[in-house]
Amino acid sequence: MCRSCAFAVAPCEGLIPEHIRSRVEPAKALAWVIDGFGGAHAVGATSGIGRSQDGDLVVLASSVSREHAQLRQNGAGWTVRDLGSRNGTFVDGIRTEGEVALPFRTVLKLGDVALWFVPKVHQPLPVRPEMGTGGMYSGLVRYQLVHGNAELCIVAGNDTETGGALLWRSVGAEAWSERRLAPLEFQLLRALLARAFIESASPSTVRGCLPSKQLARELPFQSKYANQENVRQIVLRVRTVLADVGADGVLAIAPGRGYYLATKVTATVVDRH
């Protein structure tokens, strides 16, 4: 997750990664919830959530009731129903009453525990694609986009300080090529991909825009005094890389608003093991 996404589901006091776990097999997942530690937890067609060890999604937090809420998939999409919990169930900050629709990519909050809800993406990339490079880069979320005749992919994990790899191939090709990215280049691209995916359902023609000032704060610059000019230099470097792999023009600027990716972005939660 990018920092802004992680901030939206920041762990509540006393919560640790081991306090959240799913009893649904990943292979049977129809949706995922992602916690503030970056962990992805499988959700089935009907999944109960609460402190009970018999629930489908176990959340061991004092603000969560034993049988807190239920997620359900139906013909119209997904719904969540509060099961009479003490501290309530919230969808994007609004407390629910009865069974309500659960929008695509939303913050689901159970008591004090916030989670990103992400329905399973159709036609996902393989969990372990043969990229011709050994598949050495693994992580939590795999982002993919198509621009012109180029298909691009990165895998994003939890570490916001390191670099990574950009994978690309021509549309229809089987083998991936790989290009190493420096930390700032990789983190810029990852942040833009994550924001584009979160806002992919927006009707706006400019989706997933990130302001330069925000990028200056959140990218892992060596100096704490990084500014918009520093961001612009990283953008130029990433644009050069994208042009080299056949995706020239995909990293765009909206005057007065910031930078965005001028194409649709898809994402798949992947196995960390």
Side-chain angles (χ1 to χ4, degrees), residues 63-82:
S63 63
V64 176
S65 299
R66 282 184 56 82
E67 295 182 354
H68 195 106
Q70 183 184 71
L71 299 179
R72 187 168 68 91
Q73 185 187 45
N74 55 38
W78 286 85
T79 62
V80 60
R81 179 165 63 91
D82 185 83

Side-chain angles (χ1 to χ4, degrees), residues 120-144:
K120 187 173 181 179
V121 180
H122 295 294
Q123 296 180 339
L125 290 173
V127 170
R128 292 291 186 188
E130 295 182 6
M131 300 175 182
T133 60
M136 63 182 293
Y137 296 100
S138 61
L140 296 175
V141 181
R142 180 172 285 120
Y143 294 103
Q144 184 183 24

Side-chain angles (χ1 to χ4, degrees), residues 202-233:
S202 169
S204 172
T205 56
V206 178
R207 295 184 294 269
C209 200
L210 286 175
S212 293
K213 289 183 179 180
Q214 179 180 341
L215 290 168
R217 292 193 309 269
E218 297 184 354
L219 292 178
F221 286 100
Q222 294 286 335
S223 172
K224 63 180 180 179
Y225 301 108
N227 55 33
Q228 296 178 66
E229 176 58 24
N230 299 125
V231 173
R232 191 179 74 86
Q233 293 301 322

